[in-house]
Amino acid sequence: MSVKKQTAIVTGGAQGIGKGITTHLIAKGWLVAAMDTDTEALVELAAEFPGDNLLTLIGDVADEDAVKSCVDKAFETFGHITALVNNAGISTGFGKNIQEISLADWNRVIGVNLTGTFLMSKHCASHLEASKGAIVNISSTRALMSEKNTEAYSASKGGIVALTHALAVSLGPEVRVNCISPGWIETGEWQKQEKRRVPHHSDLDRNQHPVGRVGKPEDIAELAEFLLSDKSGFITGQNFPVDGGMTIKMIYEE
């Protein structure tokens, strides 16, 4: 494989936004290592991209041994790592009252969403420094605004935004680190086969967004590619909400 090829690890890369980013980067000629805990989804992803452009890795980002093993495998396979997309995330306990959510659920969400971002960045850092690469972290507009009963998820996503600017300062100038905070992104058609569904959105759903539609994984993937590329060479430590304008629209309940 050519050492000139851009290479990326995408966590949670087999479904949802992660799959959208994996698919987009491969279409642009990148070599991508998609890391996920869902073996079935990884098998289906591999069937869509036969050949050398995709490496599938089974691993939990909250498990440091698994993280190290997956990063080592990606480096051994590609010979270098130029980009990391920290996308893996869960929402266990979402919707539960703070008095009902268990400490185990809280710790698991923080472990995957926030600690996983830290661990992946830690073990990719030396490779990214050598290649003068970049990291894109996927947070959420939940880092900026909340619904009731979303404490663990919102806290983890807020932590990712703060971790982003900390990493940007610590790893610069060799490595740039930025963050994308998606709003409502429809991923129904980007799941593994047994969970895939054709989405339906009402006029109310669409009209909540000043752009007039719900988001797509492609919206996130396009920005991720830009932030990983040299075209964004003067951008680091920033958080980019991608939400169709939803967080800037005042909504009054009648």
Side-chain angles (χ1 to χ4, degrees):
M1 292 180 181
S2 169
V3 296
K4 296 180 180 179
K5 283 258 189 181
Q6 294 279 64
T7 64
I9 298 177
V10 180
T11 67
Q15 296 188 90
I17 289 173
K19 183 179 180 181
I21 294 171
T22 295
T23 299
H24 180 80
L25 292 179
I26 290 175
K28 294 294 184 177
W30 287 58
L31 306 177
V32 178
M35 181 177 171
D36 210 292
T37 57
D38 193 318
T39 303
E40 187 177 23
L42 285 170
V43 169
E44 290 183 13
L45 182 68
E48 292 183 41
F49 297 100
D52 296 332
N53 278 15
L54 174 69
L55 171 68
T56 56
L57 301 168
I58 300 172
D60 183 345
V61 296
D63 180 337
E64 188 164 15
D65 289 338
V67 166
K68 184 178 185 305
S69 177
C70 287
V71 171
D72 288 349
K73 179 64 175 177
F75 181 72
E76 291 167 7
T77 301
F78 295 149
H80 61 299
I81 298 171
T82 63
L84 168 64
V85 179
N86 285 309
N87 167 76
I90 60 172
S91 56
T92 304
F94 201 87
K96 285 186 178 180
N97 184 285
I98 191 171
Q99 298 175 67
E100 298 172 343
I101 187 170
S102 69
L103 179 59
D105 283 347
W106 169 274
N107 285 339
R108 180 60 179 160
V109 172
I110 299 296
V112 172
N113 298 4
L114 182 55
T115 304
T117 298
F118 160 73
L119 289 174
M120 290 299 302
S121 301
K122 171 185 175 180
H123 287 279
C124 285
S126 62
H127 300 302
L128 295 171
E129 287 172 343
S131 65
K132 297 191 182 302
I135 297 173
V136 168
N137 298 323
I138 305 299
S139 179
S140 168
T141 50
R142 305 281 178 164
L144 309 172
M145 56 189 293
S146 293
E147 291 179 297
K148 291 174 61 175
N149 303 325
T150 61
E151 280 71 24
Y153 186 79
S154 296
S156 72
K157 293 301 186 176
I160 289 172
V161 174
L163 180 59
T164 294
H165 56 71
L167 288 170
V169 173
S170 297
L171 297 179
E174 288 83 6
V175 182
R176 293 181 304 102
V177 187
N178 288 292
C179 184
I180 301 173
S181 287
W184 183 348
I185 306 297
E186 176 56 65
T187 62
E189 295 181 295
W190 291 83
Q191 305 300 320
K192 64 182 179 181
Q193 189 62 47
E194 70 174 34
K195 292 185 176 180
R196 200 167 300 163
R197 59 181 176 78
V198 177
H200 170 74
H201 300 125
S202 67
D203 288 341
L204 179 61
D205 295 334
R206 290 186 286 271
N207 292 337
Q208 289 183 70
H209 302 80
V211 299
R213 66 172 175 86
V214 172
K216 304 176 293 185
E218 295 94 326
D219 296 318
I220 308 303
E222 289 278 2
L223 180 56
E225 183 204 0
F226 172 73
L227 292 173
L228 295 173
S229 75
D230 292 339
K231 293 178 181 179
S232 60
F234 199 55
I235 302 173
T236 195
Q238 303 305 305
N239 177 44
F240 296 87
V242 180
D243 63 355
M246 195 172 183
T247 55
I248 53 90
K249 182 177 181 180
M250 297 178 70
I251 301 174
Y252 293 95
E253 294 184 5
E254 294 182 1

